[in-house]
Amino acid sequence: MKRILIVGGGYAGFYAARGLEKRLRAGEASVTVVDPRPYLTYQPFLPEVLAGSIEARHAAVSMRSHLRRTKVIAGRVRKIDHAGRTVVVQPPDGAEFSLDYDVIVVTAGAVTRRLPVPGIAEQAIGLKHVEEAVAIRDQLLTSFDRAAVLPPGPERSKLLTVVFVGGGFSGVEGFGELLSLASALLKRYPEISASEPRFHLVEGSGRILPEVSAKAGGWVVRSLERRGSVVHLNCTVQSAVGGEVVLTDGSTVDAGLIVWTAGNDANPVVRTHTDLPITARGLIIVRPDLRVGTETDIVPDAWAAGDDAAVPDLAVPGTYTVPNAQHAFRQGKLLARNIAAALRKRPLVAYVHHSLGSVATLGLGRGIFQYKKITIKGPPAWLMHRGYHVLAVPTWERKIRVLAVWLTAAVFGRDIVSLAAVEHPREAFLRDGVTNRASVLS
């Protein structure tokens, strides 16, 4: 029985495993997924988790619950030795171990690109995982609580200042949703005036949202500025030591919350710890049918897709597919189809997908959608965003849970309780607990 090993449980890996479960006959092959997090994070929902519009757990899909015939290993693959058909896995606890396989599927995804800017590693929070989105939301809520009891001054101003670095989809959507949450919080905090929360979006290029046209991106900038935020284009961060964000446009912003969304980088295991062929950017070289290799040189029993693979875009010849969820989950489905076909010596299918357009949320009731020359703005685009993603999120169970939270929020409003203390669960126990000395001595 063939042993199929999937490295990474993101969109491509999850859908590949799910498809293989449906396509493989009993005893035909075993499937194992290795990922540090034993769940799929539906990243398009992270901005809404950040804003409290979606419960955090509803943006994550448990692999153990939905991959019934797949072995799930919680661990990080440190090395891929395809010549020896083994990988080295580092579990959360204990020593590394080797795992053998017959067929490997690399869907490890990308990692957040962190530039060597002083202070960023110590001060910033990313926006790639559920726990990061929750931390950002809790920090903003806690900052409002703390600022409300402080007199006007630098400390209060810092608590109410937010800086997002990166003007791609993740950064702009997160920025718009957090700005929307801050505006809603003002109704509950009469001590804080509408002019006090300050939001800054920093982008190194001359425009935001490169996936849409320059005209549409310009409209988004103006929309954010009308809501009181400041957008810094052609600008980068020089330093963020102690929360003091120094920008190349000459301005300095003292921020209590810094969110880093400045693009993705190649996964380290793919870039430096594998004998599979990679591009200069550290992406695995794959064919249109998602086998690793080139048209003339195929690497046997190796497949790759998603953000860590250079997949030729047959819809736009001469380019590669962009790293987004729209491509990753479709490539995952094709992986399952082609791997099953290869096991049975049947013809393979090339990956071709024409873009369905780009849609982004900019906060409650605000959004933008663009498909070719068609651009839709405002509430209709926001509804399209919600409609598309509730259909795209895996499993009916998650769809129903998300819809239930949206309906509850529409009736009762957002939940504005911060659970930042959950990061230090023993703090109250140690601070407030009183030991009964008599009982101990007896």
Side-chain angles (χ1 to χ4, degrees):
M1 186 166 65
K2 290 284 186 179
R3 296 165 299 176
I4 301 173
L5 176 64
I6 300 176
V7 179
Y11 302 109
F14 178 86
Y15 278 100
R18 197 177 184 205
L20 285 168
E21 285 191 347
K22 296 176 180 178
R23 291 178 178 275
L24 295 176
R25 296 186 290 267
E28 189 173 9
S30 65
V31 180
T32 300
V33 175
V34 181
D35 194 279
R37 294 173 173 82
Y39 54 82
L40 160 70
T41 300
Y42 191 72
Q43 290 180 347
F45 275 160
L46 293 187
E48 296 212 45
V49 171
L50 179 151
S53 299
I54 288 179
E55 168 64 32
R57 286 184 175 85
H58 298 169
V61 180
S62 168
M63 284 189 270
R64 295 185 185 277
S65 296
H66 298 285
L67 300 178
R68 303 296 177 85
R69 295 190 292 117
T70 296
K71 182 178 181 180
V72 178
I73 297 177
R76 190 179 301 276
V77 172
R78 293 295 188 187
K79 182 179 179 181
I80 300 173
D81 177 15
H82 190 60
R85 298 296 197 276
T86 63
V87 299
V88 176
V89 179
Q90 176 62 65
D93 303 291
E96 296 180 344
F97 61 88
S98 295
L99 193 63
D100 299 330
Y101 65 84
D102 298 306
V103 177
I104 192 166
V105 184
V106 185
T107 56
V111 297
T112 301
R113 180 178 61 188
R114 198 179 73 205
L115 302 178
V117 177
I120 285 297
E122 295 77 18
Q123 300 292 327
I125 304 175
L127 187 52
K128 202 173 185 64
H129 303 290
V130 172
E131 55 268 36
E132 293 173 322
V134 172
I136 293 167
R137 176 176 181 268
D138 283 346
Q139 186 166 331
L140 182 75
L141 294 172
T142 301
S143 293
F144 266 69
D145 283 328
R146 294 170 60 190
V149 296
L150 287 175
E155 187 177 358
R156 174 170 168 139
S157 178
K158 181 177 180 177
L159 285 169
L160 297 174
T161 300
V162 178
V163 173
F164 268 68
V165 184
F169 258 86
S170 178
V172 171
E173 289 192 314
F175 185 81
E177 286 287 351
L178 199 66
L179 180 59
S180 180
L181 173 60
S183 299
L185 288 176
L186 290 171
K187 300 174 184 178
R188 308 294 182 185
Y189 290 83
E191 307 91 341
I192 299 175
S193 67
S195 62
E196 288 189 87
R198 296 186 300 160
F199 279 69
H200 296 259
L201 176 63
V202 181
E203 168 55 39
S205 67
R207 52 171 297 191
I208 62 173
L209 295 179
E211 295 86 351
V212 303
S213 68
K215 183 178 180 181
W219 177 85
V220 174
V221 170
R222 293 190 297 274
S223 173
L224 293 174
E225 290 177 337
R226 283 194 298 269
R227 294 162 65 187
S229 65
V230 180
V231 180
H232 304 262
L233 299 178
N234 294 310
C235 181
T236 58
V237 178
Q238 290 183 315
S239 173
V241 177
E244 185 179 59
V245 182
V246 181
L247 304 178
T248 54
D249 65 3
S251 58
T252 300
V253 181
D254 206 15
L257 174 58
I258 304 172
V259 183
W260 184 268
T261 62
N264 295 325
D265 205 350
N267 195 298
V269 71
V270 173
R271 185 177 60 240
T272 57
H273 300 292
T274 180
D275 54 355
L276 295 171
I278 62 173
T279 67
R281 292 179 52 223
L283 303 178
I284 297 178
I285 299 172
V286 300
R287 296 157 46 91
D289 57 18
L290 305 183
R291 285 183 291 180
V292 175
T294 64
E295 289 295 329
T296 58
D297 188 12
I298 301 173
V299 179
D301 302 320
W303 305 75
D307 293 359
D308 62 7
V311 180
D313 192 345
L314 300 185
V316 187
T319 65
Y320 296 108
T321 58
V322 296
N324 62 23
Q326 193 175 130
H327 285 296
F329 92 84
R330 287 177 173 81
Q331 289 169 7
K333 291 181 177 181
L334 183 63
L335 276 171
R337 176 178 176 177
N338 278 353
I339 292 171
L343 292 175
R344 299 163 188 167
K345 310 298 182 184
R346 295 177 181 172
L348 307 184
V349 177
Y351 177 75
V352 183
H353 172 66
H354 296 274
S355 174
L356 300 176
S358 299
V359 62
T361 174
L362 304 173
L364 192 64
R366 298 177 172 91
I368 186 167
F369 167 80
Q370 187 170 58
Y371 175 69
K372 296 182 178 180
K373 294 183 179 181
I374 301 173
T375 302
I376 301 174
K377 307 168 186 175
W382 175 76
L383 288 172
M384 292 173 69
H385 177 274
R386 285 202 162 184
Y388 172 78
H389 286 299
V390 79
L391 291 175
V393 68
T395 78
W396 278 103
E397 173 250 350
R398 277 296 180 265
K399 298 179 198 296
I400 293 170
R401 288 182 185 273
V402 168
L403 283 170
V405 173
W406 279 343
L407 181 60
T408 304
V411 176
F412 299 106
R414 303 175 197 253
D415 191 333
I416 60 170
V417 176
S418 169
L419 295 178
V422 77
E423 297 176 24
H424 308 284
R426 299 183 67 250
E427 188 173 300
F429 173 73
L430 296 174
R431 183 188 64 242
D432 303 333
V434 177
T435 302
N436 188 326
R437 187 174 178 79
S439 297
V440 173
L441 292 177
S442 64

